[in-house]
């Protein structure tokens, strides 16, 4: 099981595709680090926000989560470079994905903060100089920045870093309901090119990233999910108030619910195995949104790896033979999840 901990909704950025910054939490409302002692053992944990490094007690949060998992990755703007470097010195096994939405001009335009690109890149370069291995870019593709995605990919490759992608979504989490890609052909052509480049790499991890990006093309075209959503079963979120959520993709216009609150129970299991949690898993199984976000997709790709591997092998062989990955051919896997609850 994977966990995502939303430690705050405060953020110094003013992103156009996200209104978290305009709906911040108060410091007094955010959970105390000790609350996370109630969490179970997890495969991996993503610490996110808002901007997680606005919290003065972020190191205490890291200390506790290190007892719960072998892998912690921050999602951050990289804006608070000194704080990030300080954590990296003490905990060199912690990972970082710096959110950068394009090259300098485009990034600063979309993230609403002049100098954001320079700060983010500076942070990444310093982490690389320090020898931190689990680092890289994370880009959310919206309208008019998909070409920059390919440039960032090349920069990322030259720096030998990880490269995470997303398409913008609407949800309660982002406080956005008008994120619609209008230049679909251009965006999907650039995702297609990214897939071709990923499949040419020698790193098997990149081949599976190609599969994930195929899912983004499918999502942008409004297709049903390639793999079933098992949010609230294979992964969970904790919000700054201590609520346990199945995902961060819910919309009030479709449905929104919480499994329970860690502040009100003795243990995580009291929530996880509750009647309310079972009801929410039924809602997830019938959710109409078809989101394709890494937090809920990565766990099911790992769980159902036997379905993904044949696609990877077939297309890697095709690329080795000089052919292209056919991104117009979307595989759909009808998997019976009735036993997962």
């Amino acid at each position: 099981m994977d966990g995502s901990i939303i430690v705050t909704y405060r953020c110094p950025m003013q992103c156009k595709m996200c209104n978290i910054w305009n709906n911040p939490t108060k410091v007094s409302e955010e959970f105390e680090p000790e609350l996370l002692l109630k969490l179970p053992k997890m495969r991996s944990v993503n610490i996110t926000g808002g901007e997680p490094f606005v919290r003065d007690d972020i190191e205490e949060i890291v200390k506790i989560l290190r007892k719960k998992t072998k892998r912690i990755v921050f999602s951050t703007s990289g804006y608070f470079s000194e704080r990030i470097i300080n954590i990296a010195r003490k905990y060199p096994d912690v990972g970082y994905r710096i959110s950068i939405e394009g090259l300098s001009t485009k990034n600063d335009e979309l993230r609403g903060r002049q100098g954001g690109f320079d700060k983010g890149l500076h942070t990444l370069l310093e982490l690389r100089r320090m020898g931190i291995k689990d680092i890289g870019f994370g880009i959310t593709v919206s309208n008019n920045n998909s070409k920059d995605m390919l440039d960032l990919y090349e920069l990322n490759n030259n720096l030998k870093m990880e490269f995470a992608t997303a398409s913008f979504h609407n949800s309660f989490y982002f406080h956005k309901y008008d994120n619609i890609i209008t230049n679909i052909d251009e965006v999907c052509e650039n995702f297609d090119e990214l897939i071709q480049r990923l499949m040419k790499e020698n790193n098997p991890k990149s081949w599976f990233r190609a599969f994930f990006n195929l899912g983004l093309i499918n999502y942008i075209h409004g297709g049903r999910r390639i793999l079933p959503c098992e949010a609230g079963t294979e992964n969970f979120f904790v919000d700054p108030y201590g609520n346990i959520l199945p995902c961060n993709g819910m919309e009030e216009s479709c449905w929104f619910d919480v499994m329970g609150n860690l502040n009100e129970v003795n243990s995580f299991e009291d929530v996880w195995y509750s009647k309310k949690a079972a009801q929410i898993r039924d809602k997830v199984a019938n959710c109409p949104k078809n989101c394709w976000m890494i937090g809920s997709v990565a766990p099911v790709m790992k769980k159902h790896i036997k379905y993904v591997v044949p696609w990877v092998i077939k297309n890697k062989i095709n690329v080795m033979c000089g052919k292209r990955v056919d991104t117009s051919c979307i595989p759909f896997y009808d998997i019976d999840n009735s036993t997962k609850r």
Side-chain angles (χ1 to χ4, degrees), residues 5 12 50 111 135 188 287 308 318:
I5 316 300
R111 295 190 71 80
I135 58 174
C188 289
C287 181
V308 181
N318 284 343

Side-chain angles (χ1 to χ4, degrees), residues 218-273:
N218 175 61
Y219 170 76
I220 292 166
H221 280 295
R224 64 187 177 94
R225 278 179 62 112
I226 296 175
L227 291 167
C229 182
E230 298 185 25
T233 300
E234 293 299 317
N235 68 281
F236 67 89
F237 282 73
V238 178
D239 76 6
Y241 309 107
N243 292 311
I244 298 176
L245 313 170
C247 70
N248 63 342
M250 294 178 287
E251 288 183 58
E252 288 88 345
S253 61
C254 296
W255 69 281
F256 176 87
D257 213 341
V258 302
M259 293 180 163
N261 190 295
L262 281 177
N263 291 292
E264 299 170 357
V265 295
N266 293 321
S267 71
F268 175 85
E269 287 73 20
D270 290 340
V271 173
W272 196 245
Y273 297 108

Side-chain angles (χ1 to χ4, degrees), residues 186 196 261:
E186 178 186 0
Q196 310 304 327
N261 190 295

Side-chain angles (χ1 to χ4, degrees), residues 31-305:
F31 63 73
E32 295 292 331
E34 291 74 23
L35 186 70
L36 302 178
L37 290 169
K38 296 181 181 181
L39 293 176
K41 295 287 185 180
M42 295 162 281
R43 287 179 303 232
S44 67
V45 171
N46 175 235
I47 302 178
T48 186
E51 169 51 60
F53 284 93
V54 302
R55 285 196 60 150
D56 293 331
D57 56 359
I58 194 65
E59 185 175 346
E60 295 303 311
I61 290 173
V62 171
K63 285 180 181 178
I64 290 172
L65 289 176
R66 278 169 60 83
K67 300 174 183 177
K68 301 292 183 177
T69 183
K70 293 182 178 179
R71 183 169 187 251
I72 295 173
V73 178
F74 275 99
S75 294
T76 171
S77 65
Y79 196 76
F80 296 102
S81 183
E82 290 185 11
R83 297 183 187 182
I84 293 170
I85 299 306
N86 182 54
I87 292 290
R89 286 196 186 102
K90 296 179 180 179
Y91 308 103
D93 57 338
V94 170
Y96 303 87
R97 297 296 177 272
I98 307 294
S99 298
I100 294 180
E101 311 309 336
L103 299 180
S104 180
T105 301
K106 181 58 67 176
N107 175 81
D108 292 358
E109 171 195 336
L110 290 176
R111 295 190 71 80
R113 179 71 67 176
Q114 288 299 310
F117 177 87
D118 291 348
K119 282 224 174 198
L121 184 58
H122 165 77
T123 302
L124 276 173
L125 293 175
E126 182 61 18
L127 290 170
R128 167 58 71 218
R129 187 194 66 79
M130 293 169 61
I132 307 300
K133 299 188 183 305
D134 191 0
I135 58 174
F137 295 104
I139 180 171
T140 298
V141 174
S142 53
N143 293 315
N144 306 315
N145 74 333
S146 60
K147 178 63 173 68
D148 279 26
M149 170 183 68
L150 297 176
D151 294 326
L152 284 177
Y153 165 77
E154 294 301 331
L155 176 60
N156 175 85
N157 253 11
N158 284 309
L159 293 172
K160 296 180 170 54
M161 297 180 183
E162 305 290 332
F163 190 65
T165 53
S167 170
F168 67 4
H169 286 66
N170 295 310
S171 77
F172 83 94
Y173 175 70
F174 303 111
H175 296 275
K176 287 288 286 185
Y177 305 98
D178 59 352
N179 280 336
I180 300 172
I181 287 181
T182 54
N183 55 334
I184 291 177
D185 290 344
E186 178 186 0
V187 169
C188 289
E189 284 174 8
N190 286 319
F191 270 119
D192 176 283
E193 178 58 27
L194 177 64
I195 289 170
Q196 310 304 327
R197 297 184 192 184
L198 287 167
M199 289 303 296
K200 289 178 180 177
E201 290 188 32
N202 294 324
N203 183 2
K205 197 172 182 179
S206 296
W207 311 340
F208 287 91
R209 285 201 184 103
F211 180 88
F212 174 78
N213 282 281
L214 182 71
L216 288 177
I217 290 177
N218 175 61
Y219 170 76
I220 292 166
H221 280 295
R224 64 187 177 94
R225 278 179 62 112
I226 296 175
L227 291 167
C229 182
E230 298 185 25
T233 300
E234 293 299 317
N235 68 281
F236 67 89
F237 282 73
V238 178
D239 76 6
Y241 309 107
N243 292 311
I244 298 176
L245 313 170
C247 70
N248 63 342
M250 294 178 287
E251 288 183 58
E252 288 88 345
S253 61
C254 296
W255 69 281
F256 176 87
D257 213 341
V258 302
M259 293 180 163
N261 190 295
L262 281 177
N263 291 292
E264 299 170 357
V265 295
N266 293 321
S267 71
F268 175 85
E269 287 73 20
D270 290 340
V271 173
W272 196 245
Y273 297 108
S274 67
K275 182 178 178 180
K276 182 65 176 294
Q279 292 171 346
I280 287 180
R281 291 184 185 107
D282 287 335
K283 291 181 179 181
V284 169
N286 295 286
C287 181
K289 290 201 61 182
N290 295 313
C291 299
W292 193 258
M293 292 189 278
I294 195 65
S296 57
V297 173
V300 293
M301 281 182 62
K302 293 172 185 174
K303 179 179 179 179
H304 301 298
I305 193 73

